Amino acid sequence: MEQESKVLIERYMAAYFTVTKRMNGELREVLQDDMTMDQFQIIDYIVMQGKVTSTELADTFAVGKSSITAIITRLADKGILERTRDNDDRRVVYLSLTERGIGHYKKAQAKIMETLSTYLVHFNAEEVEGFLGVFEKLAYLLEEESGES
């Protein structure tokens, strides 16, 4: 069983590295003028949450606050994000998208959808659902292990 596990893990690692390397390269290429993948992921998270704090982003993406601050500053300078202070506690700063940011997000999302769609057409609906189910289960296990769920 140990040898079988080793082979499965090696297969997973080989596929993972190929997919992430190639897919990230393609996505970086289609987003090059609009934003980086890190910026897109942060914007996507803000779209889902509505408004967030930089601490929440740092925790969610498991990076230092200085990294988040640098990304936020670049996005704010481009007019994509806006900072709003909490009325009750002026130390708390919320981040949300501007109208311009929503436009950039929709444009980037459309490019990503178009890119990913070219690969999904090679699978039937059952294969896609099966893959996503397993992938989401792995994500859940990883979040549970790190105490994020």
Side-chain angles (χ1 to χ4, degrees):
M1 180 65 177
E2 188 174 308
Q3 184 62 26
E4 289 176 21
S5 292
K6 184 178 183 222
V7 169
L8 293 174
I9 290 169
E10 287 171 349
R11 284 178 57 197
Y12 166 81
M13 289 175 54
Y16 170 80
F17 289 131
T18 299
V19 169
T20 56
K21 181 177 141 189
R22 302 263 169 129
M23 191 57 66
N24 285 342
E26 283 192 44
L27 294 178
R28 232 184 343 267
E29 192 173 304
V30 299
L31 292 178
Q32 68 184 350
D33 296 333
D34 297 316
M35 63 190 75
T36 66
M37 272 306 292
D38 287 342
Q39 290 173 342
F40 177 80
Q41 289 176 317
I42 286 171
I43 290 170
D44 186 56
Y45 182 80
I46 293 171
V47 166
M48 298 303 170
Q49 301 302 313
K51 64 180 181 178
V52 299
T53 64
S54 57
T55 301
E56 180 181 345
L57 289 174
D59 292 344
T60 299
F61 291 97
V63 296
K65 286 185 184 180
S66 61
S67 297
I68 290 295
T69 299
I71 293 170
I72 290 168
T73 299
R74 281 192 290 278
L75 291 172
D77 289 347
K78 289 180 180 180
I80 293 172
L81 281 184
E82 63 184 354
R83 298 175 174 106
T84 309
R85 293 205 178 271
D86 186 283
N87 291 332
D88 297 326
D89 186 347
R90 303 286 293 158
R91 295 171 297 176
V92 177
V93 177
Y94 293 108
L95 305 165
S96 58
L97 290 183
T98 61
E99 288 300 317
R100 177 185 172 114
I102 292 169
H104 275 279
Y105 171 76
K106 287 179 179 178
K107 182 179 173 186
Q109 186 183 41
K111 288 180 179 181
I112 289 172
M113 294 290 184
E114 183 180 326
T115 300
L116 293 177
S117 294
T118 62
Y119 296 101
L120 289 180
V121 297
H122 298 282
F123 303 93
N124 64 42
E126 190 175 297
E127 289 172 319
V128 173
E129 281 296 326
F131 169 75
L132 290 176
V134 170
F135 203 63
E136 289 167 345
K137 182 176 181 178
L138 178 59
Y140 172 79
L141 292 171
L142 290 167
E143 284 179 343
E144 190 176 67
E145 179 73 23
S146 70
E148 293 177 18
S149 56

